[in-house]
């Protein structure tokens, strides 16, 4: 009876699995603050993507982790054809064709030596919005050439969706979709991700990410992204921002995604591994709540585990 009348259902095909491909590894390396998640070699990346697909996950979101020696002030390895992320995309597209939707992170922070999501002014104090847009446009085109189905600008620069859309269209990539990180908060819940990508960041991103105190501002950000041609809008993190998901879902004509981030995963894993909460029940409850709030897709490190349970 409960199943019959359930208002919300989470399906494996709603889930998007974020994965990390790193240069300089002999074998995959577990991310200590994200137990069960790995920085991958090319072989282990392909194997893990096969496991995800076998479990019923149909979309992965790929992040690249370059060698420190490949980082520079503008993050140029992000758009280099042979940069780690573009090599990863190319290999996955060759392996999976259109069976797996490949989404790529379109942001500079993994590739800059200062760890910010954009290029800095001469005093290295301020992220320059418009100069950064040029880099995102180059990066999106490089990712499209490598075979990504979706680009996902996560840097919260103003005008990033329009800049990327016109650059992709000009190169003939009219079918490559944009998942816009529309309401991305300057959040402490991103902590473990910094380890996952070997971030060089000192300081914070409060000059370009949303203030956790604000929701109206996020409605505007989502509307702007929709007007600029976003194919999805996304809220991140998820659980502490379900009101934002809900408010955006009320008016968005495009799908609304939510990203259950590294810190959310880490907290549930830690409590589960300590026996303080039931790991599997907490995982499914968290995903159900995110969908109930109005998310159509959920990016989550639990994607494969949850998909197996949902079968
Ligand atoms: C930045 C980016 C971040 C995450 C995804 N893309 C980190 C940040 O903005 O500081 C966080 C993901 C997570 O915590 O799981 N390109």
């Amino acid at each position: 009876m409960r199943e019959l009348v359930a208002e919300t259902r989470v399906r494996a095909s709603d889930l998007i699995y974020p994965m990390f491909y790193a240069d300089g590894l002999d074998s995959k390396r577990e991310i200590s603050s994200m137990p069960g998640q790995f920085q991958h070699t090319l072989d282990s990346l392909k194997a893990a993507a096969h496991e995800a697909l076998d479990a019923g996950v149909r979309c992965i979101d790929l992040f690249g982790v370059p060698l420190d020696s490949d980082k520079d002030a503008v993050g140029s390895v992000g758009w280099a054809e042979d940069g780690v992320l573009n090599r990863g995309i190319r290999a996955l597209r060759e392996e999976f064709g259109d069976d797996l939707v490949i989404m790529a992170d379109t942001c500079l922070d993994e590739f800059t030596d200062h760890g910010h999501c954009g290029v800095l002014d001469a005093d290295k104090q301020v992220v320059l919005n418009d100069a950064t847009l040029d880099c995102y446009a180059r990066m999106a085109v490089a990712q499209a050439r490598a075979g990504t189905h979706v680009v996902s600008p996560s840097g919260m620069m103003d005008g990033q969706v329009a800049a990327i859309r016109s650059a992709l269209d000009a190169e003939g990539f009219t079918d490559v979709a944009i998942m816009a990180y529309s309401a991305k908060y300057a959040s402490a819940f991103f902590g473990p991700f910094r380890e996952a990508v070997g971030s060089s960041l000192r300081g914070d991103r409060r000059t370009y990410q949303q203030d956790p105190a604000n929701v109206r501002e996020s409605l505007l950000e989502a509307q702007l992204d929709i007007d600029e041609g976003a194919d999805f809008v996304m809220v991140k993190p998820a659980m502490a921002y379900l009101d934002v998901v809900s408010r955006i879902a009320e008016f968005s004509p495009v799908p609304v995604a939510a990203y259950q981030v590294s810190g959310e995963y880490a907290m549930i894993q830690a409590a589960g591994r300590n026996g303080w909460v039931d790991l599997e029940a907490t995982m499914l409850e968290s995903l159900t709540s995110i969908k109930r709030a109005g998310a159509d897709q959920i990016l989550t490190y639990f994607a494969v585990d949850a998909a197996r349970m949902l079968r």
Side-chain angles (χ1 to χ4, degrees), residues 107 109 154 184 190 193-194 205 209 236 261-262 301:
C107 191
D109 64 303
S154 63
K184 180 176 180 183
F190 301 153
F193 179 88
R194 306 270 158 89
R205 306 193 198 286
Q209 297 182 344
K236 175 179 182 174
V261 301
S262 57
Y301 303 98

Side-chain angles (χ1 to χ4, degrees), residues 18 20 34 61 63 105-110 115-117 136 152-156 181 184-194 196-197 199 201 204-205 208-209 234 236-237 259-265 299 301:
F20 303 97
M34 299 172 71
D61 181 21
F63 293 86
D105 188 56
T106 312
C107 191
L108 298 181
D109 64 303
E110 287 100 61
H116 275 291
C117 296
Y136 289 177
S152 57
S154 63
M156 288 299 286
Y181 284 64
K184 180 176 180 183
Y185 284 85
S187 172
F189 288 102
F190 301 153
F193 179 88
R194 306 270 158 89
V197 298
S199 171
L201 183 72
D204 61 61
R205 306 193 198 286
Y208 45 102
Q209 297 182 344
M234 191 225 285
K236 175 179 182 174
Y259 196 142
Q260 183 179 53
V261 301
S262 57
E264 300 178 72
Y265 176 83
L299 294 100
Y301 303 98

Side-chain angles (χ1 to χ4, degrees), residues 147-215:
T148 199
H149 296 97
V150 187
V151 296
S152 57
S154 63
M156 288 299 286
M157 297 300 132
D158 293 338
Q160 62 186 13
V161 173
I164 287 172
R165 184 72 274 157
S166 70
L168 289 173
D169 290 353
E171 294 292 324
F173 295 113
T174 50
D175 290 343
V176 172
I178 302 176
M179 156 93 56
Y181 284 64
S182 300
K184 180 176 180 183
Y185 284 85
S187 172
F189 288 102
F190 301 153
F193 179 88
R194 306 270 158 89
E195 179 198 347
V197 298
S199 171
S200 308
L201 183 72
R202 283 176 300 277
D204 61 61
R205 306 193 198 286
R206 285 186 295 178
T207 64
Y208 45 102
Q209 297 182 344
Q210 300 291 92
D211 183 341
N214 293 357
V215 63

Side-chain angles (χ1 to χ4, degrees), residues 274-298:
N274 267 300
W276 297 337
V277 298
D278 178 328
L279 178 60
E280 295 195 340
T282 310
M283 176 197 323
L284 287 185
E285 184 177 329
S286 69
L287 297 173
T288 302
S289 301
I290 295 166
K291 277 213 80 179
R292 191 196 62 237
D296 300 294
Q297 296 82 26
I298 308 172

Side-chain angles (χ1 to χ4, degrees), residues 225-292:
D225 285 351
I226 292 163
D227 294 344
E228 290 176 26
D231 299 286
F232 304 79
V233 290
M234 191 225 285
V235 175
K236 175 179 182 174
M239 269 179 73
Y241 297 89
L242 294 183
D243 58 324
V244 184
V245 174
S246 172
R247 297 274 300 270
I248 292 178
E250 277 172 18
F251 70 86
S252 176
V254 299
V256 178
Y259 196 142
Q260 183 179 53
V261 301
S262 57
E264 300 178 72
Y265 176 83
M267 290 192 305
I268 294 172
Q269 280 285 358
R273 283 170 191 237
N274 267 300
W276 297 337
V277 298
D278 178 328
L279 178 60
E280 295 195 340
T282 310
M283 176 197 323
L284 287 185
E285 184 177 329
S286 69
L287 297 173
T288 302
S289 301
I290 295 166
K291 277 213 80 179
R292 191 196 62 237

